[in-house]
Amino acid sequence: MSKYDGEQILVVPRSLFDNLGSFQGLTTDTERYIPSLLDPSNNFFMDREAAEEDPSHKQIIPYSLFRHRDRYLHYVRGKSGGESRLHAQGSLGIGGHINPVDERSDPLGHATYMAGVEREIDEELILPSDPEQRIVALLNDDSNAVGRVHLGVVHLFELTDEMASAREDALCDLQFKTIMDLKGSLYDSLESWSRFCVDALGKF
């Protein structure tokens, strides 16, 4: 049996990303991409086992950052996490795949996507309130096998306090860190998407 157990995930053709303007790293030009990526005529659900080995498609992954004043939530990916290639790396992002369970009245549209964002956060974090959020960037890293099949959508959540805790063992050593910490002693241990975000923290 596949380790993904028949999971279906939201993808777009790599050709769509290339036509919109492929990039390496991070872009804050969200309006150039989001309307097309979340257009139901451009995306569809695909078997995850196939998608993980198919760079002709990009899996859409919400990647949520959590900020309280000038400090950002940081954690280390534990062995129980779903992506074994990222274990033991530091991360700022909470997120995962969009699945058919997230479908709303606009199949494969914006409401479906946002339902997936909310579900992933609720599965992994306990937050004391419903914080404000906005999409601030997109992430792409074609330099490695994980990145070649994923496209990240960065959401920034503004918290009113630091009362956040992990709901899963996969999120180890959950703490709020300063930008100085993230750009200093923690930087080299971060996964590539988190490094891209840290490099751009002044932009959003």
Side-chain angles (χ1 to χ4, degrees):
M1 180 181 291
S2 165
K3 66 178 179 178
Y4 300 119
D5 196 25
E7 182 182 3
Q8 298 289 303
I9 58 175
L10 191 67
V11 303
V12 295
R14 169 73 198 219
S15 58
L16 173 67
F17 177 52
D18 290 335
N19 290 338
L20 291 172
S22 59
F23 61 90
Q24 172 67 18
L26 179 148
T27 179
T28 57
D29 188 8
T30 59
E31 287 304 310
R32 181 175 181 175
Y33 299 90
I34 295 300
S36 294
L37 295 176
L38 299 185
D39 183 335
S41 66
N42 291 332
N43 58 43
F44 59 95
F45 288 115
M46 181 178 182
D47 182 74
R48 182 174 177 182
E49 184 173 21
E52 292 291 351
E53 305 297 330
D54 182 4
S56 70
H57 292 87
K58 282 284 194 181
Q59 302 168 40
I60 302 300
I61 305 292
Y63 195 74
S64 298
L65 312 183
F66 298 85
R67 178 169 68 188
H68 177 243
R69 297 181 179 174
D70 60 348
R71 291 158 63 89
Y72 293 81
L73 196 61
H74 169 276
Y75 67 95
V76 176
R77 291 186 181 271
K79 290 184 178 180
S80 61
E83 179 50 78
S84 62
R85 294 168 289 188
L86 298 177
H87 290 168
Q89 293 188 9
S91 180
L92 301 184
I94 299 291
H97 297 86
I98 306 301
N99 305 123
V101 69
D102 302 315
E103 284 198 89
R104 296 299 185 264
S105 59
D106 67 336
L108 304 180
H110 187 268
T112 294
Y113 171 79
M114 292 305 297
V117 174
E118 294 174 8
R119 174 183 54 77
E120 286 289 346
I121 292 171
D122 188 57
E123 288 175 356
E124 299 190 36
L125 281 182
I126 300 172
L127 298 174
S129 60
D130 187 17
E132 294 184 4
Q133 63 155 308
R134 54 196 171 93
I135 295 175
V136 294
L138 282 88
L139 295 165
N140 184 60
D141 184 7
D142 287 330
S143 70
N144 60 72
V146 178
R148 279 192 290 274
V149 294
H150 295 88
L151 184 63
V153 181
V154 182
H155 295 247
L156 180 61
F157 286 74
E158 301 284 0
L159 304 181
T160 57
D161 55 48
E162 296 184 3
M163 297 297 291
S165 57
R167 203 185 290 273
E168 290 189 347
D169 293 339
L171 277 62
C172 302
D173 197 22
L174 196 74
Q175 298 183 43
F176 282 85
K177 299 291 186 179
T178 66
I179 295 177
M180 184 176 298
D181 291 333
L182 297 171
K183 291 188 174 183
S185 60
L186 295 173
Y187 188 83
D188 289 342
S189 67
L190 295 173
E191 64 191 25
S192 65
W193 279 10
S194 287
R195 289 198 300 271
F196 293 142
C197 289
V198 169
D199 291 342
L201 285 181
K203 297 179 181 179
F204 44 78

